[in-house]
Amino acid sequence: MSSNLDREATEWATQQEPTHPYVTPGSATGPEISTPSMATVLEMVLGLRSQELAVYDAITTDPGASTKTLAGTLDRDRSNVNRSLTKLEAAGLVTRHRRILDSGGYYYANYAAPSDVVDDIVSTALDRWAAAAQSMLTDQQWETPLAGSTDS
């Protein structure tokens, strides 16, 4: 593998003229960068999956919904919804409040965090994610094989 990298590096370095101009910080040229959706950002920086995002959307639509109600709305098993709620709560995007029933027993009412709190959480996580990505470039960890790698 390293011999391929060495050969490619040599070929790269000995080219008379690059087929594409080198991109430098501050240059107007370079690859086109698409604007990510909020779902993509939440998936990348908080490690959320589409299942968690669906639960979050359902809670914003029906604040205070129980796990049972959410499971019915999403047509998912309550245990799966509960796992998603646990992950959303750990990320700080959802709070769960215990409600006592008049007939005895209790349930958890689920609420989405206020938008300013979500903005702060996502902004902080995005900054940390970007710093970690920049650190990988600085430490030249990009030279390790990309196929089959796992993100942390």
Side-chain angles (χ1 to χ4, degrees):
M1 182 69 157
S2 64
S3 63
N4 285 340
L5 285 177
D6 292 339
R7 184 176 44 84
E8 289 172 5
T10 302
E11 288 173 4
W12 176 267
T14 59
Q15 287 182 350
Q16 293 290 329
E17 293 217 12
T19 56
H20 298 287
Y22 297 119
V23 178
T24 58
S27 69
T29 61
E32 185 176 326
I33 305 297
S34 62
T35 302
S37 67
M38 182 54 85
T40 299
V41 172
L42 293 173
E43 289 170 354
M44 286 280 103
V45 302
L46 295 179
L48 299 177
R49 300 172 303 160
S50 60
Q51 295 91 328
E52 283 91 28
L53 298 178
V55 171
Y56 181 80
D57 285 341
I59 293 170
T60 60
T61 302
D62 187 8
S66 67
T67 304
K68 181 179 179 180
T69 300
L70 293 168
T73 300
L74 298 167
D75 193 27
R76 288 179 47 203
D77 186 73
R78 282 193 300 189
S79 63
N80 291 335
V81 171
N82 195 50
R83 273 192 294 276
S84 292
L85 287 167
T86 299
K87 191 154 186 182
L88 289 165
E89 187 177 31
L93 302 180
V94 167
T95 59
R96 303 164 93 179
H97 300 274
R98 188 173 167 169
R99 300 288 186 229
I100 305 297
L101 298 170
D102 291 336
S103 59
Y106 65 92
Y107 73 96
Y108 286 99
N110 299 287
Y111 298 91
S115 60
D116 60 327
V117 172
V118 172
D119 289 348
D120 287 345
I121 290 168
V122 173
S123 179
T124 300
L126 184 58
D127 288 345
R128 290 168 58 195
W129 185 87
Q134 184 62 48
S135 176
M136 285 180 59
L137 291 175
T138 303
D139 298 341
Q140 296 185 356
Q141 292 178 13
W142 50 267
E143 290 181 351
T144 60
L146 298 176
S149 65
T150 58
D151 295 330
S152 37

